[in-house]
Amino acid sequence: TTWFFVVVLLMISHVAAFTTRLAPRSSSSLIVRNMARKAGVASPEELKEFVQKAGEKLVVVDVRNPDADVEPGDQKSLAVAALPDGSNRPMAVHLIWDRNTDNMPLPEVEKDTPMITHCGGGGRGQKAKDFLNANGFTNVLNGGGPKETDCWAEYGTK
């Protein structure tokens, strides 16, 4: 019976993801689209506009933790999208969000630098966004992460 519920939940999530891609832009479809995304994650449209406006000033803040003992859930997203390093994702920095201290290193950029935070799916990305805002950064969006494929497509290679 446990497998039955897992299969049903997976089917529901796939239907919701499919439906959100096809839904017309009405207020009711926005509610459906937002239910499929974690709270605070920007829409693909918001991210596209933000990335275009930011241009070369954009900084993508990846808060995922590669330590599977600390964040086992990050292993799936790391298999899909590697952490930034010198050879990939040139506009991204890796600043781990620490759940134990609700803290992270601050990026060494101007306070008005356009930034997109992300983790695997948006939960820690939102915590990082809130933390950066609380520390004076004024131009920050939560981009979700590789699990939010429509959002990831707007900034994932940056």
Side-chain angles (χ1 to χ4, degrees):
T1 52
T2 303
W3 284 106
F4 173 77
F5 289 113
V6 169
V7 170
V8 169
L9 289 173
L10 285 172
M11 288 174 59
I12 290 169
S13 69
H14 287 289
V15 168
F18 181 74
T19 303
T20 60
R21 288 188 191 102
L22 298 178
R25 296 187 186 263
S26 68
S27 60
S28 61
S29 70
L30 289 175
I31 292 168
V32 171
R33 289 163 32 118
N34 288 337
M35 286 174 44
R37 200 173 262 104
K38 288 191 177 180
V41 175
S43 71
E45 297 81 13
E46 290 172 306
L47 288 162
K48 182 175 186 169
E49 183 179 331
F50 189 82
V51 168
Q52 288 174 345
K53 186 176 177 185
E56 295 298 314
K57 294 180 181 180
L58 178 68
V59 173
V60 177
V61 181
D62 187 332
V63 301
R64 294 176 296 169
N65 191 329
D67 186 341
D69 291 331
V70 177
E71 291 288 351
D74 280 346
Q75 298 311 300
K76 287 182 185 177
S77 70
L78 289 169
V80 173
L83 292 172
D85 62 23
S87 65
N88 72 340
R89 302 181 59 208
M91 300 173 101
V93 295
H94 182 221
L95 303 172
I96 296 172
W97 176 261
D98 186 334
R99 287 185 195 264
N100 295 325
T101 62
D102 284 335
N103 203 334
M104 63 182 270
L106 293 174
E108 296 180 12
V109 296
E110 298 295 320
K111 299 283 186 174
D112 63 347
T113 300
M115 288 187 273
I116 297 173
T117 60
H118 81 85
C119 55
R124 281 169 292 148
Q126 184 61 38
K127 291 178 185 283
K129 176 188 181 290
D130 293 343
F131 180 80
L132 291 170
N133 288 155
N135 280 278
F137 292 91
T138 59
N139 198 7
V140 187
L141 283 183
N142 176 6
K147 292 179 187 174
E148 301 289 341
T149 56
D150 52 349
C151 293
W152 185 251
E154 299 301 334
Y155 69 90
T157 59
K158 304 288 185 204

